[in-house]
Amino acid sequence: MKFADEYRDPALARTLVAEVTQLADGLAARRGRALQIMEVCGGHTHTIFRYGLKDLMPPSLEFVHGPGCPVCVLPMGRVDDCVAIAEHPQVIMTSFGDAMRVPGSNKSLLQARAAGADVRTVYSPLDALALAQQHPDKEVVFFALGFETTMPSTAMTVLQAQALGVRNFSLFCNHITIIPTVQAILDTPDLRIDGFLGPGHVSMVIGTRPYEFIAQRYQRPLVVAGFEPLDILQSLWMLLKQLDEGRCEVENQYKRVAGDAGNAPALDAIAQVFEVRDFFEWRGLGSIAHSGVRMRPAFAAFDAERKFSVPNLKIADPKSCQCGEVLTGALKPSQCRVFADGVQRRRLRGLPPVRPHPPGAQRGASGCGMRA
Amino acid sequence: MCLGIPGRIVAITHAPNKLAMVEVMGVRREINIACIVDEAHPVDRCVGDWVLVHVGFAMSRIDEREAQLTLEVLHSLGEAQAEIAAMRQAGTGNANATAIGGLS
């Protein structure tokens, strides 16, 4: 596949691993500890595990798997609300396949479907809109989740529904934003992370400038990275070069896709449809100020939270859950209390299951349900 | 959900709604291209463009020149590494080491 295969060359990967190893060994020796590099995005976690990059790294470099998996960080209360909407007899609930298995305090969407609710997997929110046009007697709800990568697609779908005058389509909005989240991690006491691999597809939407504060105020370098194995390795090398030379900058390895200014039509659609929430609840991280968005009042007719009554209960994370410590790099996934638990026990405890397909598979493989 | 995949626009299917047919590894699907068009690059110029496709939307036009530059950096790293490896090997070589030492 063009723009993918070129970035999978094993010989070049070996070269980069050698370079990264040399730099990491030197830096770790000077610091007296292993380097911790956080890949913010779940897509990067996926590449790191799929191509075995974790196993190619020297002991002097550890990956910390960041919060950038919208499925993993969704709290149970929001899933409960979604299930409550799905169980309404008039409703066809739609979402991406990844969202189907996330457990609520009682059941997942998949389990709601097994119990008789009309729950359907779609590839695109546009498919959900088409479904609404095909079923004018039903209310089609799209369970919208994801960071800025996915936000333009749902915003544009709502704008299209408005333009077409479709009245039986709405969003259950659970979109979250990356900057307040990374800031919350940076504000964690005893933070050990030495640098960040920046999320390539979020950056394609928001650009690279919103990260400047990370380099300037928090003195941590960040390299926006692509998703092929050589992209990750090259970005790591760029990050370690910065640390080695005492620089602290925002650099962009993924320039072929993500421009520094972001995508103007996408940002415009987001701004039209969504507004920032005061707080949004995260699994593992708790409540983070300004980290989520909701639909503007002008789009109330397309807002499932306004159209349907939802329980809106805050469900605490299970006591055994240590996702928060893992997310901030304080614990390795294997140190999590429930790392070795089986699928059934995790389900009983209300922890996310091991998901059979990426990116969740990598995170779920840890057994703590979120992180590998 | 969060992953994007490169595809090539093969036809415009509905210009006013900014819809186009994209081909990803032989699979065709209609997508929305509103995020990659502007006055400088209108809808009718998009056929043949390589784009990053995400949940039914073209989210970015892939910049072939930047893609090439990234690959060049990677290859130059590879060449530099090969050069250094060759130098190391030569440096640790028995007779050569003596010979070089002798010359200095």
Side-chain angles (χ1 to χ4, degrees):
Chain A
M1 183 169 46
K2 190 172 159 79
F3 298 117
D5 294 340
E6 307 93 302
Y7 301 93
R8 295 175 187 174
D9 180 347
L12 277 176
R14 274 193 291 275
T15 300
L16 278 165
V17 168
E19 293 276 333
V20 163
T21 301
Q22 199 178 2
L23 282 168
D25 284 353
L27 283 160
R30 269 177 271 157
R31 291 173 188 223
R33 61 170 179 83
L35 294 176
Q36 285 199 333
I37 302 297
M38 173 176 278
E39 84 280 5
V40 174
C41 174
H44 287 153
T45 311
H46 173 60
T47 304
I48 286 165
F49 281 83
R50 180 172 178 194
Y51 293 94
L53 301 185
K54 185 171 172 283
D55 301 328
L56 294 175
M57 290 299 118
S60 55
L61 191 152
E62 293 169 2
F63 286 114
V64 177
H65 314 310
C69 171
V71 175
C72 306
V73 297
L74 195 68
M76 288 192 291
R78 297 297 288 181
V79 181
D80 288 351
D81 290 348
C82 188
V83 167
I85 297 170
E87 286 175 340
H88 197 283
Q90 281 301 103
V91 166
I92 301 176
M93 178 59 73
T94 59
S95 195
F96 301 123
D98 321 39
M100 293 292 165
R101 289 166 191 271
V102 191
S105 64
N106 187 19
K107 58 181 112 161
S108 65
L109 279 178
L110 211 57
Q111 288 163 326
R113 177 162 76 188
D118 193 346
V119 177
R120 305 189 194 185
T121 302
V122 291
Y123 160 70
S124 166
L126 290 171
D127 297 344
L129 178 58
L131 207 57
Q133 291 176 288
Q134 289 158 21
H135 298 276
D137 55 323
K138 293 276 191 180
E139 280 289 335
V140 175
V141 182
F142 182 71
F143 181 27
L145 69 173
F147 286 91
E148 286 93 333
T149 313
T150 310
M151 247 185 245
S153 67
T154 52
M156 285 186 166
T157 303
V158 168
L159 290 171
Q160 197 172 335
Q162 189 185 45
L164 292 168
V166 179
R167 293 174 167 277
N168 62 328
F169 174 80
S170 57
L171 287 189
F172 178 48
C173 180
N174 291 275
H175 284 304
I176 42 181
T177 55
I178 203 75
I179 297 296
T181 314
V182 173
Q183 177 146 14
I185 287 171
L186 285 163
D187 286 334
T188 309
D190 196 24
L191 181 80
R192 301 173 206 181
I193 292 158
D194 299 287
F196 293 90
L197 294 178
H201 289 153
V202 166
S203 309
M204 150 182 99
V205 174
I206 69 170
T208 60
R209 287 168 201 149
Y211 306 119
E212 288 293 342
F213 79 98
I214 300 171
Q216 287 168 10
R217 202 175 338 141
Y218 291 91
Q219 295 292 302
R220 300 291 200 289
L222 180 144
V223 177
V224 171
F227 293 86
E228 296 301 329
L230 291 186
D231 287 325
I232 302 275
L233 290 172
Q234 187 180 18
S235 301
L236 266 182
W237 175 76
M238 289 165 75
L239 209 48
L240 298 192
K241 269 284 196 201
Q242 284 200 43
L243 291 170
D244 192 52
E245 293 166 7
R247 288 182 293 123
C248 194
E249 297 164 15
V250 174
E251 293 183 306
N252 184 1
Q253 183 274 339
Y254 200 36
K255 283 185 178 166
R256 65 182 184 276
V257 166
D260 290 339
N263 186 304
L267 290 170
D268 183 53
I270 290 174
Q272 276 188 67
V273 175
F274 300 121
E275 62 183 14
V276 174
R277 292 179 197 260
D278 291 338
F279 287 96
F280 197 74
E281 196 70 28
W282 292 59
R283 175 183 279 271
L285 293 175
S287 186
I288 302 178
H290 307 132
S291 65
V293 299
R294 64 177 169 226
M295 301 183 73
R296 290 187 183 279
F299 292 92
F302 301 96
D303 186 351
E305 271 181 272
R306 290 181 168 102
K307 261 182 152 172
F308 302 91
S309 61
V310 292
N312 201 15
L313 291 176
K314 189 176 162 179
I315 310 288
D317 288 333
K319 284 203 178 86
S320 58
C321 180
Q322 293 187 295
C323 294
E325 288 95 320
V326 175
L327 281 171
T328 53
L331 279 185
K332 289 180 187 173
S334 58
Q335 294 168 324
C336 172
R337 279 192 290 266
V338 290
F339 180 78
D341 275 10
V343 174
Q344 188 65 12
R345 281 187 63 199
R346 274 197 301 279
R347 193 180 68 75
L348 290 172
R349 290 177 185 211
L351 295 166
V354 175
R355 283 179 282 279
H357 52 78
Q362 281 60 44
R363 318 211 135 204
S366 70
C368 86
M370 287 178 55
R371 312 280 125 166
Chain B
M1 164 188 38
C2 307
L3 305 179
I5 190 160
R8 192 168 210 186
I9 295 174
V10 293
I12 304 300
T13 50
H14 195 295
N17 283 0
K18 296 174 183 160
L19 298 177
M21 190 60 73
V22 72
E23 188 172 297
V24 178
M25 297 180 80
V27 179
R28 288 186 174 210
R29 137 133 214 163
E30 190 175 63
I31 58 163
N32 181 303
I33 57 168
C35 288
I36 59 148
V37 296
D38 55 27
E39 282 172 14
H41 197 92
V43 172
D44 52 17
R45 297 239 318 259
C46 290
V47 174
D49 285 356
W50 279 91
V51 294
L52 201 286
V53 183
H54 171 68
V55 299
F57 289 76
M59 291 303 305
S60 173
R61 189 176 305 109
I62 301 175
D63 188 326
E64 298 215 26
R65 198 179 62 87
E66 288 293 352
Q68 196 52 44
L69 285 174
T70 304
L71 283 175
E72 279 167 21
V73 171
L74 285 167
H75 282 284
S76 67
L77 268 172
E79 280 161 23
Q81 183 74 10
E83 191 86 359
I84 290 161
M87 282 169 72
R88 278 202 194 113
Q89 207 164 15
T92 53
N94 34 43
N96 286 349
T98 324
I100 291 167
L103 281 171
S104 59

